[in-house]
């Protein structure tokens, strides 16, 4: 049987506990459920597992929902376990009445000699075998589990019971979760059988590890997904990287959009081994996805990270900044939060302010200042002939290329680059000229001639 197929409509669930922020491990689990549901034209349930009222906090739930929304992981229905207690109580009564569970009077853990009544599942002590869509056949001898507790009282279900009841009532067909959930499966299967619930198909995905193959820490990906958003990452890039942590499309593709990932996604393509969270790889994905954006979209995404000092600059305009961001995204910007650092470091301030530089760097290699002046004067004359309305990178290059080719491109274009940017390394001078405009270009060339004479 194909482990992706079932006669029923596919229903999967992402079931986080609101005891912490949505981090990359949980987000990857949500993503794999989302991808599978979309691929199979099924539905995704978001179920907040908040039966542990002491540890559950509302702001964690809000962060989970906010993180999923930012990533674009859409769910079709939403539940909170804390709002379903009557349902669990009904099933607890049913298990007790059928003899599959019983009330046990026990010493309280407080150690004060008091007693409590808990509900224990009557373990049939048998071998449980299930087929995992990723790991194939897995068997457990449940004898060691003894009669395990499934509720602190008739009205207070514990995790294993609540999960099984919810999966049953919600019609969950596939349980896609982290491999740390494997040890929970035999208990849950025993409860399913006692309730007469159908067994879903299980798929236990590999854990995400730090670069040193240890469990994720705050240093390596355990921070909230929303912190990646606040640091200027694109959700498309995060989705791309998360999808490739334990899965691949089976070909050479690496940079993929969500619809492409959905189309290629197969449960059978998920690997068994642990996947490594690599922030440098995420930065690479992010820079690639930035380049896929349109100029307008790139600007809109970058806008929250553009310093107010720059937005208030007299020469700032949306159209100009669009071009600047496009240029920077080719090499320098890996995430949008790089923009304020590059600006404060005067990396691209020459787009807005005339640069300062020494006479020495204007000359190309062994060229003397007389040659520099000669070339800059001719460049100025050639650019004067380009109309303001047509003053773009292509027209500027067209006007200068013949002269530069005839007289040495380095000899001609080096002093032009320095005159416009004040730097030895920068985008090509044709692009810079377009962005700063004809008047400013000629003004900077005139200044370079003046300091060279």
């Amino acid at each position: 049987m194909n482990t992706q197929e079932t006669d029923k409509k596919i229903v999967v669930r992402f079931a986080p506990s609101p005891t912490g922020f949505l981090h990359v491990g949980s987000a990857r689990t949500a993503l794999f459920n989302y991808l599978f549901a979309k691929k199979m034209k099924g539905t995704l349930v978001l179920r907040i597992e908040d039966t542990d009222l002491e540890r559950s906090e509302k702001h964690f739930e809000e962060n989970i929902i906010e993180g999923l929304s930012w990533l674009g992981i859409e769910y079709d229905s939403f539940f909170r376990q804390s709002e379903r207690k009557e349902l669990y109580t009904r099933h607890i009564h049913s298990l007790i009445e059928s003899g599959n569970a019983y009330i046990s009077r026990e010493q309280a853990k407080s150690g004060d000699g008091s007693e409590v009544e808990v509900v224990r599942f009557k373990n049939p002590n048998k071998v449980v075998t299930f087929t995992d869509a990723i790991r194939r056949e897995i068997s457990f001898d449940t004898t060691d589990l003894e009669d395990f507790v499934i509720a602190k009282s008739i009205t207070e279900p514990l995790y294993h019971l609540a999960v099984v009841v919810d999966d049953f009532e919600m019609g969950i067909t596939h349980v896609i979760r982290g491999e740390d959930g494997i040890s929970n499966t035999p208990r849950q299967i025993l409860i399913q059988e006692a309730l007469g619930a159908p067994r879903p198909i299980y798929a236990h995905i590999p854990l995400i590890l730090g670069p040193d193959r240890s469990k994720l820490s705050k240093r390596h990906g355990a921070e909230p997904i929303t912190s990646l958003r606040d640091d200027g990452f694109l959700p498309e890039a995060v989705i791309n990287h998360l999808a490739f942590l334990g899965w691949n499309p089976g070909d050479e593709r690496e940079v993929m959009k969500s619809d492409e990932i959905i189309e290629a996604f197969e449960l059978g393509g998920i690997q068994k081994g642990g996947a490594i969270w690599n922030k440098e790889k995420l930065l690479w994905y992010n820079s690639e996805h930035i380049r896929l954006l349109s100029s307008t979209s790139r600007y809109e995404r970058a806008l929250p990270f553009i310093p107010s000092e720059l937005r208030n600059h007299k020469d700032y305009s949306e159209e100009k900044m669009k071009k600047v961001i496009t240029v920077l995204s080719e090499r320098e910007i890996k995430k949008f939060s790089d923009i304020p650092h590059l600006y404060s470091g005067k990396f691209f301030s020459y787009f807005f302010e005339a640069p300062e530089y020494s006479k020495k760097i204007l000359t190309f290699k062994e060229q003397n200042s007389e040659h520099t002046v000669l070339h800059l004067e001719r460049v100025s004359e050639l650019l004067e002939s380009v109309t303001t309305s047509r003053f773009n990178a292509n027209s500027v290059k067209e006007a200068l290329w013949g002269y530069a080719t005839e007289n040495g491109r380095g000899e001609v274009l080096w002093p032009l680059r320095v005159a416009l940017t004040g730097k030895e390394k920068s985008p090509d001078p044709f692009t810079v000229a377009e962005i700063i405009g004809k008047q400013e270009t000629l003004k900077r060339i005139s200044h370079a001639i003046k300091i060279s004479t």
Side-chain angles (χ1 to χ4, degrees):
M1 171 184 166
N2 185 333
T3 54
Q4 291 209 160
E5 295 177 356
T6 178
D7 292 336
K8 298 180 181 179
K9 179 180 175 68
I10 297 294
V11 184
V12 296
R13 43 73 159 185
F14 174 53
S17 298
T19 55
F21 296 111
L22 181 72
H23 56 75
V24 297
S26 298
R28 199 272 308 263
T29 299
L31 175 63
F32 279 11
N33 277 279
Y34 171 76
L35 295 174
F36 183 63
K38 284 293 186 182
K39 174 66 178 288
M40 305 302 290
K41 296 179 171 54
T43 59
L44 170 62
V45 174
L46 174 59
R47 187 170 75 214
I48 301 296
E49 298 193 337
D50 58 349
T51 52
D52 187 347
L53 296 178
E54 292 181 1
R55 296 178 60 229
S56 297
E57 296 186 28
K58 189 67 176 177
H59 74 280
F60 288 137
E61 177 186 314
E62 292 169 350
N63 179 265
I64 290 167
I65 293 171
E66 185 180 355
L68 294 177
S69 175
W70 177 68
L71 289 171
I73 297 177
E74 301 171 340
Y75 44 90
D76 301 284
S77 55
F78 175 83
F79 299 93
R80 291 188 189 90
Q81 287 187 333
S82 60
E83 298 171 351
R84 296 167 61 80
K85 288 190 175 182
E86 289 184 8
L87 176 66
Y88 306 133
T89 297
R90 188 168 76 246
H91 281 284
I92 290 171
H93 280 299
S94 175
L95 288 170
I96 292 172
E97 290 168 5
S98 66
N100 288 296
Y102 58 91
I103 296 174
S104 175
R105 192 168 184 81
E106 304 177 3
Q107 292 288 322
K109 291 183 179 181
S110 61
D112 60 2
S114 61
E115 291 188 335
V116 294
E117 288 187 345
V118 299
V119 181
R120 286 188 177 271
F121 182 80
K122 189 171 179 57
N123 188 351
N125 298 318
K126 66 176 188 176
V127 174
V128 169
T129 300
F130 66 95
T131 300
D132 189 283
I134 298 169
R135 299 161 192 281
R136 307 309 173 210
E137 191 172 282
I138 300 174
S139 293
F140 283 93
D141 185 346
T142 65
T143 304
D144 292 340
L145 300 179
E146 301 180 336
D147 289 356
F148 52 92
V149 178
I150 58 173
K152 290 192 285 186
S153 72
I154 293 293
T155 59
E156 296 177 282
L158 293 178
Y159 168 74
H160 291 298
L161 176 68
V163 165
V164 172
V165 169
D166 281 338
D167 287 348
F168 179 24
E169 295 286 345
M170 295 174 187
I172 302 300
T173 60
H174 293 69
V175 173
I176 304 170
R177 61 186 178 187
E179 65 180 18
D180 51 347
I182 292 176
S183 61
N184 296 327
T185 310
R187 289 182 178 85
Q188 292 166 10
I189 288 176
L190 291 177
I191 297 172
Q192 286 165 8
E193 292 175 347
L195 289 174
R199 182 184 300 184
I201 294 171
Y202 288 95
H204 288 94
I205 61 182
L207 297 181
I208 300 179
L209 307 174
D212 58 357
R213 303 195 70 83
S214 64
K215 185 178 179 180
L216 278 186
S217 64
K218 287 184 178 179
R219 185 181 172 195
H220 298 306
E223 73 269 21
I225 278 289
T226 47
S227 71
L228 296 177
R229 174 200 63 191
D230 298 342
D231 198 22
F233 285 94
L234 294 174
E236 300 97 310
V238 178
I239 288 288
N240 198 161
H241 187 36
L242 287 177
F244 275 65
L245 292 177
W247 172 86
N248 67 74
D251 52 40
E252 298 302 313
R253 287 178 294 174
E254 278 195 273
V255 179
M256 298 175 69
K257 296 181 179 180
S258 291
D259 57 348
E260 296 172 321
I261 297 172
I262 290 168
E263 179 63 30
F265 189 77
E266 302 281 349
L267 280 183
I270 300 175
Q271 65 189 35
K272 297 178 184 178
I276 306 298
W277 172 255
N278 187 329
K279 197 71 170 281
E280 287 301 314
K281 187 70 173 182
L282 175 60
L283 285 168
W284 178 80
Y285 275 116
N286 204 63
S287 61
E288 293 293 313
H289 278 276
I290 286 175
R291 284 193 279 273
L292 291 176
L293 298 174
S294 68
S295 173
T296 298
S297 180
R298 197 180 294 127
Y299 174 77
E300 290 172 348
R301 304 283 195 97
L303 192 56
F305 300 91
I306 298 174
S308 57
E309 176 189 356
L310 176 53
R311 291 202 303 270
N312 294 329
H313 194 283
K314 61 181 178 62
D315 291 330
Y316 179 92
S317 69
E318 177 179 326
E319 202 56 41
K320 183 174 186 177
M321 195 63 198
K322 281 182 182 179
K323 293 179 179 180
V324 171
I325 292 171
T326 296
V327 169
L328 294 177
S329 67
E330 290 301 316
R331 298 179 187 174
E332 308 305 332
I333 295 178
K334 292 186 176 180
K335 50 186 172 53
F336 288 129
S337 60
D338 293 338
I339 293 174
H341 302 297
L342 291 171
Y343 182 67
S344 63
K346 297 190 178 299
F347 188 87
F348 65 91
S349 58
Y350 53 80
F351 286 118
F352 300 93
E353 302 161 7
E356 296 180 359
Y357 51 88
S358 68
K359 175 182 176 180
K360 182 178 179 181
I361 70 166
L362 268 170
T363 57
F364 180 73
K365 293 184 178 179
E366 304 303 321
Q367 189 181 53
N368 57 46
S369 58
E370 288 80 5
H371 283 103
T372 299
V373 170
L374 178 66
H375 293 315
L376 286 174
E377 287 177 340
R378 183 56 180 153
V379 164
S380 183
E381 291 172 3
L382 292 169
L383 293 182
E384 282 279 11
S385 65
V386 181
T387 62
T388 302
S389 61
R390 291 189 65 251
F391 200 83
N392 56 50
N394 289 334
S395 296
V396 170
K397 183 176 181 178
E398 183 180 320
L400 301 181
W401 199 248
Y403 178 75
T405 300
E406 182 180 344
N407 292 276
R409 294 171 190 167
E411 285 81 352
V412 175
L413 299 180
W414 176 274
L416 175 59
R417 176 198 298 273
V418 174
L420 299 185
T421 69
K423 296 182 178 296
E424 297 179 2
K425 293 182 179 179
S426 71
D428 70 78
F430 317 119
T431 299
V432 176
E434 175 184 335
I435 293 174
I436 65 175
K438 179 177 179 179
Q439 181 180 349
E440 182 65 20
T441 295
L442 294 176
K443 181 179 176 182
R444 293 185 186 184
I445 293 172
S446 175
H447 174 72
I449 292 170
K450 187 179 297 184
I451 67 171
S452 294
T453 53

